[in-house]
DNA sequence: TAGGCCATCTGGTCCT
DNA sequence: AGGACCAGATGGCCTA
C-alpha cells in the first residue's frame, strides 16, 4: 500500500506525488487486488449464468456503488491526511530546527513536542521580558518623579548602568544560563540526521525546567562581549537564523 | 534484522 | 445521508 508512495515521496509526510484518487492508489492496493479477485470470480460465475441476469446486474450495480463510495471515502481520507501533513509541514517551517535537504525532517510527534516546548519557551521569554520592561518603566517613572520632586538630581547618564543595558545583560544572562541541548544534540554523530529524541524535546522534563529554556535555544550561541550576537534573543529573525546556524553546527 | 516512521485503507462514531 | 474525524490494521521504506 505504501508502495505507491515509497519510490516517489522520499518519505515525506506530505508526498509531492499527488495520487490519482481513482487510479493511483486503486491500482496499487489490496482493494484493487480484491477487485480483480472479485471480477475473476464474477466472470467465472458468469459463464454458468444463463438466467436471473437482472438481479445479478442489480448486485453488480450495488457492488460498483459500494466500491465507488469506498473510493470516495478513501480519497477524502487521503486528502484529509494530506492537509494534516501540509499543516504539519508549515509548523515545521517555523520551528527552530535545522531545515534542508541533508537534514532529516522532524517526525510528527517530534514536531508537536518541539512546538509545545517552543511555545512554552516563548511564553517564558515573554513573561521575563514583560517583567524587565516593567522594571525599566517603573524605575524610570520613579526616577522621573524623583527628578520632578528634586530638580537638582539629574537622571542617570546613558552608560553601562542604563536600564536598557541592564535589560540586554539580563537577556544574555538568561540566554547563557541553560546548557545547550542543541550542542548536546550535535555532540552525537548523527546530529543532523536524526531528529531529537523525546528526552531532548523535554517530553519527560518537568514544566518548570521547560519554562526556563525548554529547547535550550539561546544556549546554543556563545555570547562574546563586544561581538555581534546572532542569537534569537538579539536578532529579529529567530527562526531562520536558528535554522541556518543549527545547520552549520 | 528489529524498530521507527509513514501512507493508506477501513470501519465506527459523531455531527450537520 | 453525507462528511469529518478517529483509531486500528497493514505493509513499505529507512536506519542503527
Amino acid at each position: 500500500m505504501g508502495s505507491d508512495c515509497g519510490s516517489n515521496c522520499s518519505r515525506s509526510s506530505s508526498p509531492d506525488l499527488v495520487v490519482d484518487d481513482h487510479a493511483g492508489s486503486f491500482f496499487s492496493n489490496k482493494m484493487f487486488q480484491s477487485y480483480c479477485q472479485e471480477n475473476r470470480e464474477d466472470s467465472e460465475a458468469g459463464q454458468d449464468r444463463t438466467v436471473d441476469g437482472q438481479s445479478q446486474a442489480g448486485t453488480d450495480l450495488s457492488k460498483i456503488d459500494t466500491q465507488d463510495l469506498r473510493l470516495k471515502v478513501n480519497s477524502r481520507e487521503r486528502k484529509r491526511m494530506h492537509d494534516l501533513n501540509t499543516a504539519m509541514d508549515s509548523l515545521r517551517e517555523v520551528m527552530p530546527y535545522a531545515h534542508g535537504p541533508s537534514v532529516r525532517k522532524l517526525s510528527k510527534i517530534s514536531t508537536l513536542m518541539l512546538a509545545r516546548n517552543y511555545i512554552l519557551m516563548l511564553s517564558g521569554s515573554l513573561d521575563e521580558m514583560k517583567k524587565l520592561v516593567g522594571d525599566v518603566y517603573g524605575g524610570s517613572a520613579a526616577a522621573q518623579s524623583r527628578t520632578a520632586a528634586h530638580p537638582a538630581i539629574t537622571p542617570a547618564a546613558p552608560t553601562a548602568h542604563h536600564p536598557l543595558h541592564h535589560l540586554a545583560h539580563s537577556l544574555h544572562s538568561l540566554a547563557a544560563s541553560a546548557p545547550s541541548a542543541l550542542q548536546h544534540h550535535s555532540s552525537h554523530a548523527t546530529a543532523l540526521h536524526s531528529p531529537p529524541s523525546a528526552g531532548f524535546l523535554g517530553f519527560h522534563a518537568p514544566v518548570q525546567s521547560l519554562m526556563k529554556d525548554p529547547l535550550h535555544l539561546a544556549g546554543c550561541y556563545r555570547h562574546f562581549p563586544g561581538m555581534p550576537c546572532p542569537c534569537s534573543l538579539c536578532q529579529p529573525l529567530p527562526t531562520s537564523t536558528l535554522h541556518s546556524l543549527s545547520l552549520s553546527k
Side-chain angles (χ1 to χ4, degrees), chain A residues 19 35 37 41 59 64 66 75 83 87 92 95 97 107-108 110 117 125 132 145 156 161 185 191 195 197 222 227 232:
Chain A
V19 178
Y35 175 79
Q37 177 72 20
E41 289 169 359
T59 59
I64 289 172
T66 305
S75 173
D83 290 346
R92 282 190 188 96
M95 294 309 295
Y97 190 75
S107 67
K108 293 177 179 177
S110 298
N117 291 339
S125 298
L132 290 171
S145 64
H161 297 297
H185 185 56
S197 65
R222 292 184 180 180
M227 293 289 289
S232 59

Side-chain angles (χ1 to χ4, degrees), chain A residues 32-178:
Chain A
F32 176 63
Q33 294 168 12
S34 62
Y35 175 79
C36 292
Q37 177 72 20
E38 286 167 4
N39 274 4
R40 192 160 50 242
E41 289 169 359
D42 285 348
S43 63
E44 286 169 3
Q47 290 174 350
D48 301 328
R49 237 181 308 173
T50 53
V51 291
D52 200 20
Q54 208 159 6
S55 66
Q56 184 63 38
T59 59
D60 280 349
L61 205 62
S62 71
K63 194 183 290 183
I64 289 172
D65 284 348
T66 305
Q67 288 174 350
D68 266 359
L69 180 64
R70 198 61 251 177
L71 287 176
K72 269 171 62 179
V73 170
N74 290 350
S75 173
R76 275 200 307 271
E77 176 67 8
R78 215 157 37 229
K79 181 185 179 303
R80 194 182 70 84
M81 294 309 294
H82 286 175
D83 290 346
L84 184 64
N85 288 331
T86 301
M88 193 68 75
D89 284 340
S90 64
L91 180 59
R92 282 190 188 96
E93 284 176 10
V94 299
M95 294 309 295
Y97 190 75
H99 295 184
S102 64
V103 181
R104 196 157 96 186
K105 74 198 232 177
L106 287 169
S107 67
K108 293 177 179 177
I109 181 71
S110 298
T111 302
L112 291 176
M113 292 194 300
L114 187 64
R116 174 187 179 275
N117 291 339
Y118 192 36
I119 291 169
L120 287 174
M121 184 207 70
L122 292 179
S123 299
S125 298
L126 187 61
D127 287 346
E128 183 78 12
M129 188 76 79
K130 281 178 182 172
K131 209 170 73 178
L132 290 171
V133 169
D135 287 349
V136 168
Y137 281 99
S140 65
Q144 276 187 352
S145 64
R146 274 200 307 274
T147 305
H150 307 283
I153 302 175
T154 57
T159 63
H161 297 297
H162 190 276
L164 289 180
H165 285 268
H166 169 69
L167 176 64
H169 182 73
S170 300
L171 288 175
H172 272 91
S173 303
L174 181 70
S177 61

